[in-house]
Amino acid sequence: QVQVVESGGGLVQAGGSLRLSCTASGVSKFRDTTMAWFRQAPGQEREALAIINRAGDTAYTNSVKDRFTVSRDVPINTVYLQMNSLKPEDTAMYYCAATMIHSSKWYALGVDDFQYWGQGTQVTVSS
């Protein structure tokens, strides 16, 4: 049984930083998964922020590019999202997700392509 657990959310002032962590357990070959971070604000659709594939390649949505960095530590089945220069509009529930789908267009994988999801961690940025 695969479990994905996020941590690290909280309240931060605009301009500050947070690092989210995501640990996947029950995955036989974590190194073969593509992992991603999503977020969802109230009344809005869940959006993909950052994806890291099994080779360690990364892709970002434009709104967080140059501010957020995704990385993974394969031996401990963990993915991180370093968030810098946070803005009030970054306030949302942040989700980590994993997929065993292998695609040449891994950077375009969306919500429906990820099989395993965490429960989310709240990030609130005050102005």
Side-chain angles (χ1 to χ4, degrees):
Q1 180 176 342
V2 176
Q3 281 192 317
V4 177
V5 179
E6 308 97 334
S7 62
L11 174 64
V12 63
Q13 288 188 333
S17 298
L18 280 175
R19 189 178 80 157
L20 306 182
S21 299
C22 167
T23 300
S25 61
V27 179
S28 59
K29 292 185 178 180
F30 178 76
R31 67 175 68 87
D32 288 339
T33 62
T34 292
M35 303 292 294
W37 287 96
F38 293 77
R39 70 184 177 192
Q40 187 169 20
Q44 297 187 17
E45 293 187 353
R46 191 168 296 190
E47 64 168 335
L49 301 177
I51 295 177
I52 183 165
N53 69 7
R54 54 181 176 169
D57 302 316
T58 59
Y60 301 89
T61 193
N62 286 338
S63 62
V64 305
K65 195 175 182 180
D66 298 328
R67 298 190 299 125
F68 291 10
T69 302
V70 60
S71 60
R72 65 192 300 166
D73 190 339
V74 172
I76 60 171
N77 287 13
T78 299
V79 174
Y80 303 99
L81 185 67
Q82 177 66 43
M83 305 186 294
N84 299 327
S85 302
L86 283 162
K87 306 174 182 179
E89 51 263 44
D90 292 319
T91 295
M93 186 71 78
Y94 283 67
Y95 297 92
C96 178
T99 182
M100 299 302 293
I101 291 176
H102 298 154
S103 170
S104 60
K105 296 184 178 180
W106 56 271
Y107 48 84
L109 294 176
V111 171
D112 294 338
D113 298 312
F114 287 81
Q115 296 90 37
Y116 308 108
W117 290 83
Q119 80 289 349
T121 186
Q122 178 68 37
V123 172
T124 302
V125 184
S126 63
S127 57

